[in-house]
Amino acid sequence: MALNSDCIGISDLQSVSKSVVAHIELNCTKPVSQQLDCQLKTLQITVLLAPSGAGKSSLFNAIAGVAPASGGLKVTGQQQLGVPAHKRRIAYVTQSPLLFDHLTIAALLKLVAKQQAQPFDISWAIDPLGLTDKLSCRAHQLSGGQRQRVALLLAMIKGAPLLLLDEALTGLDQFNKQACIGVIKDYLCKVQGAALLACHQLDDVLALADSCLLQHTINDSTHWQMLPVDEGIERYQQQLIEGQSSENIQGSQFTSLFYGQVHAHFPALGLTEYHVSGQRCFAAYNSDYQIGCVQPLILKANRLGLSKTALPESSFVNQLKVQITAFNPVNMGQEQGMLVKVRLVNSEQECVHKPASLHVWITRLSFNQLQPKLNETWFLIGKADALHS
Amino acid sequence: MNEGDLQAIFITLKLAVLTTLALLVITIPCAYWLARSKRAIKPFLETLITLPLVLPPTVLGYYFLVLFSPQQGIGLWLQQTLGVQLVFSFSGILVASMIYSLPFTFRPLQSAFEQLPDNLYSSAALLGFKPWRQFLWLVLPMIKPAIYTAATLSFAHTVGEFGVILMIGGNIPGETQVVSLALFDHVESFNLQAANTLAGLMLVSSFAVVFACQWWQRQTQRVSTPTRLF
């Protein structure tokens, strides 16, 4: 998560003083009419939140100059529209990058560097991306994940301050994803750049993003609207519920984000205790977090449950008192179910944050048997591993 | 083997090498253009290029004779302005072999260019490759096997030519007499020993050239297919 200061406001204040990397006022018409107006500041990572097929790749192609677009597109003050793709100050990792198999990775990196007037030195990123012993290989000898990381390396050689990542983290395992995120952030620091990321995995969004771009349709034209991450995710989930078709709903898309204060560490148990709205909850131990600091926490709707009463003699370590605020029938794949929106009950007077809104997904069977009602107080239950930081 | 035969071998090799090189230089950019072109004229041009494949060599040779005859038309103009006579000369059989072998060079190249992935040029541009550098550094190395195939076919086809060369070049020893014509002469004059030597030589050398090219092609084929991620 990009936001790790004690107070949410500090990062907002910092971003005010940052310079504008990209000023985008872009219209593209193919295959769907889209309009994007936004400003990206130094180190800002913005995620385009939309389901597959919504036109994210087309928009990126238009920004990068391989598809037609109108309007304005300035990167560090220089107009990019009308400039051919190879001269644009934009680094772009496409969804299905082509790696030229007639060369080894080392030779390809060298050849791409030769094309740049001032190639950006990417040697620092080879080791963190785990590609040191793969440089003498050709692309067909690499795994899918390794090829994806090579594509990131290749794109970075341009040293362009605007980085476009189209599903660049999708399909990577957790370890490599963390490595890529680290490299992306370091790159943005080094070039004083900003990134636009298209993805539909909310975990990736939470791990990287400072802000979201969300679609809304006006007169058959799609407009992208800039929102803070938590608000963006909530609205995106609402969009998914409203326009759901059973095959594209996944448990991971109903991820809730809220903030907890680190209260205590229990390294022997492998747990860290947080306080959220005066209630205790536990997540996996993380020694990097100092006692008292506020950390973002993530809960996935399909890894939680509801109980009418507290379960003191159970294995569920997280039992949070919540109030039910909404019901939405949502199917996950074949399974019929109900997405229950709840708000944490605040047991403390001096709470800094507004009470967190969370999603819990229960099966239709449980819903029919338990018959929860609006505004009732229930217990949200989950094991510690249901909670991530 | 007499001096005439040696001359015929030299002329054959010279003709095959020059035809192959000239054809490659001309057809690579043309096939690249035609493979990417979506113009209405494309099918017409493709038919024209394929025509020498189906036309009897004598028909082709006849039209060359008519077209380049120094008495009229283009032949007369070439004779008067450039002082070049294409009929019954080495340059004549060179031009004729180029046209005769054109489909064998053009087709494999065009098909290789057409099989390159659609996103090749945009991917290369995104990495900062200027258009001509995309061609030089990425496209050409990727179609290397097709270039070898085109070169082998063109070379082998020129070595085996008979009808067209006989029509336009005549059978002038030391000028337009190639091995296949010299062999024909030996057979006609019942000089079977000389015919055997020439025929055997052609058989062995053709086998060796094609075999070597295929081996070479297999070595490079493995590394020339582009890899897509998904």
Side-chain angles (χ1 to χ4, degrees):
Chain A
M1 185 70 198
L3 200 158
N4 54 7
S5 54
D6 284 359
C7 170
I8 308 169
I10 290 178
S11 107
D12 291 341
L13 283 174
Q14 281 173 345
S15 65
V16 172
S17 61
K18 286 172 181 171
S19 59
V20 175
V21 175
H23 188 95
I24 307 174
E25 286 177 350
L26 206 72
N27 297 305
C28 65
T29 49
K30 282 181 184 172
V32 283
S33 173
Q34 294 188 77
Q35 198 180 333
L36 171 64
D37 291 341
C38 70
Q39 276 197 353
L40 303 176
K41 298 198 171 82
T42 316
L43 306 187
Q44 187 178 353
I45 302 179
T46 305
V47 172
L48 280 80
L49 268 180
S52 306
K56 294 180 295 235
S57 300
S58 316
L59 185 69
F60 276 4
N61 287 343
I63 296 174
V66 291
S70 59
L73 170 61
K74 280 186 178 170
V75 177
T76 53
Q78 293 172 13
Q79 183 59 256
Q80 301 294 301
L81 231 57
V83 175
H86 67 270
K87 284 188 186 160
R88 289 198 184 189
R89 292 169 57 74
I90 294 168
Y92 180 15
V93 184
T94 58
Q95 196 170 4
S96 43
L98 188 75
L99 302 177
F100 303 91
D101 217 6
H102 63 283
L103 294 167
T104 61
I105 303 304
L108 187 57
L109 292 171
K110 217 168 155 184
L111 182 62
V112 173
K114 238 173 88 178
Q115 310 308 314
Q116 323 299 331
Q118 286 171 318
F120 177 72
D121 181 18
I122 44 89
S123 51
W124 59 272
I126 295 173
D127 192 42
L129 290 176
L131 295 170
T132 313
D133 55 346
K134 301 292 172 198
L135 291 178
S136 54
C137 296
R138 290 192 159 89
H140 71 273
Q141 296 166 309
L142 303 180
S143 73
Q146 286 165 341
R147 280 182 287 200
Q148 225 156 340
R149 282 172 275 148
V150 170
L152 176 64
L153 266 187
L154 286 172
M156 291 194 305
I157 297 178
K158 249 184 159 181
L162 178 59
L163 178 64
L164 306 179
L165 301 157
D166 193 357
E167 304 285 358
L169 301 175
T170 312
L172 289 178
D173 61 48
Q174 204 52 41
F175 178 77
N176 286 316
K177 201 177 270 184
Q178 287 307 323
C180 274
I181 288 171
V183 166
I184 289 166
K185 286 185 172 173
D186 286 351
Y187 173 78
L188 294 181
C189 269
K190 284 175 197 280
V191 298
Q192 287 297 293
L196 270 178
L197 173 77
C199 86
H200 56 273
Q201 293 280 332
L202 285 185
D203 283 4
D204 301 346
V205 178
L206 294 164
L208 258 179
D210 303 285
S211 49
C212 292
L213 282 163
L214 204 68
Q215 284 185 321
H216 65 270
T217 307
I218 306 169
N219 300 334
D220 290 337
S221 169
T222 302
H223 292 248
W224 291 90
Q225 186 187 7
M226 183 86 94
L227 292 168
V229 181
D230 44 0
E231 196 185 335
I233 287 176
E234 218 177 311
R235 298 243 310 251
Y236 175 60
Q237 288 168 341
Q238 198 54 43
Q239 285 182 359
L240 284 177
I241 292 167
E242 283 161 10
Q244 68 165 305
S245 55
S246 53
E247 68 271 15
N248 65 17
I249 298 277
Q250 287 171 11
S252 59
Q253 284 175 315
F254 290 95
T255 301
S256 309
L257 170 71
F258 61 103
Y259 298 93
Q261 190 171 34
V262 180
H263 188 71
H265 289 300
F266 302 100
L269 297 170
L271 292 174
T272 295
E273 185 186 340
Y274 297 85
H275 277 195
V276 184
S277 302
Q279 302 194 60
R280 297 164 69 197
C281 63
F282 295 89
Y285 172 62
N286 193 328
S287 59
D288 295 341
Y289 299 159
Q290 289 180 356
I291 307 282
C293 79
V294 173
Q295 287 298 332
L297 294 165
I298 299 159
L299 273 171
K300 281 186 184 172
N302 58 341
R303 299 184 65 185
L304 300 170
L306 285 175
S307 169
K308 185 75 192 143
T309 53
L311 303 169
E313 291 180 358
S314 79
S315 64
F316 297 105
V317 294
N318 290 322
Q319 303 198 10
L320 300 165
K321 217 173 182 181
V322 294
Q323 193 179 26
I324 294 175
T325 55
F327 297 111
N328 289 294
V330 165
N331 298 341
M332 294 220 187
Q334 294 291 313
E335 224 175 332
Q336 300 256 317
M338 190 64 84
L339 195 72
V340 184
K341 202 171 179 184
V342 298
R343 194 171 43 229
L344 279 175
V345 171
N346 191 5
S347 61
E348 231 174 26
Q349 290 306 310
E350 72 289 1
C351 181
V352 201
H353 306 295
K354 66 172 186 183
S357 240
L358 309 170
H359 278 120
V360 187
W361 186 83
I362 58 174
T363 59
R364 177 65 77 165
L365 182 72
S366 311
F367 182 77
N368 291 345
Q369 284 174 350
L370 296 169
Q371 299 194 332
K373 304 265 178 326
L374 278 181
N375 298 323
E376 278 182 350
T377 305
W378 284 66
F379 284 89
L380 180 132
I381 56 168
K383 292 186 175 183
D385 71 347
L387 195 69
H388 296 283
S389 54
Chain B
M1 203 181 285
N2 62 27
E3 201 188 330
D5 287 348
L6 287 174
Q7 264 183 346
I9 291 170
F10 174 72
I11 289 169
T12 309
L13 288 178
K14 188 168 125 186
L15 181 68
V17 169
L18 286 178
T19 305
T20 306
L21 289 179
L23 269 180
L24 283 180
V25 170
I26 295 166
T27 51
I28 288 177
C30 292
Y32 176 69
W33 174 81
L34 199 65
R36 298 188 73 188
S37 164
K38 289 186 178 75
R39 286 164 195 254
I41 200 174
K42 185 175 172 175
F44 176 74
L45 287 177
E46 280 173 338
T47 313
L48 206 64
I49 288 159
T50 318
L51 213 54
L53 200 67
V54 287
L55 270 184
T58 43
V59 174
L60 211 62
Y62 170 72
Y63 279 118
F64 278 134
L65 269 184
V66 173
L67 201 66
F68 296 128
S69 157
Q71 266 89 50
Q72 57 188 6
I74 302 176
L76 184 67
W77 178 81
L78 281 173
Q79 176 90 325
Q80 284 176 346
T81 49
L82 301 173
V84 177
Q85 188 189 322
L86 287 181
V87 176
F88 306 122
S89 69
F90 181 80
S91 39
I93 59 171
L94 179 63
V95 172
S97 341
M98 277 171 62
I99 292 174
Y100 191 45
S101 294
L102 181 65
F104 295 90
T105 322
F106 201 92
R107 280 301 186 167
L109 290 172
Q110 189 193 351
S111 141
F113 282 127
E114 280 171 352
Q115 278 168 19
L116 289 174
D118 295 338
N119 62 348
L120 169 80
Y121 303 101
S122 61
S123 300
L126 291 174
L127 293 175
F129 284 85
K130 289 175 187 150
W132 68 270
R133 284 187 171 178
Q134 292 170 18
F135 182 76
L136 200 66
W137 293 111
L138 302 171
V139 173
L140 277 188
M142 279 163 83
I143 62 145
K144 229 193 290 183
I147 297 178
Y148 293 150
T149 308
T152 316
L153 285 176
S154 161
F155 188 88
H157 196 243
T158 311
V159 168
E161 251 179 64
F162 183 82
V164 180
I165 295 181
L166 188 64
M167 291 289 276
I168 196 164
N171 191 358
I172 309 162
E175 176 72 23
T176 61
Q177 190 183 57
V178 291
V179 176
S180 54
L181 292 181
L183 176 64
F184 184 70
D185 271 4
H186 289 317
V187 175
E188 270 206 319
S189 55
F190 292 105
N191 187 356
L192 291 185
Q193 201 191 347
N196 266 334
T197 316
L198 275 186
L201 189 78
M202 276 187 89
L203 182 73
V204 173
S205 62
S206 301
F207 183 87
V209 167
V210 176
F211 188 83
C213 284
Q214 276 182 345
W215 176 81
W216 194 10
Q217 197 177 331
R218 213 165 299 129
Q219 294 300 305
T220 52
Q221 211 153 27
R222 285 183 294 123
V223 299
S224 301
T225 16
T227 304
R228 269 168 183 271
L229 254 182
F230 301 105

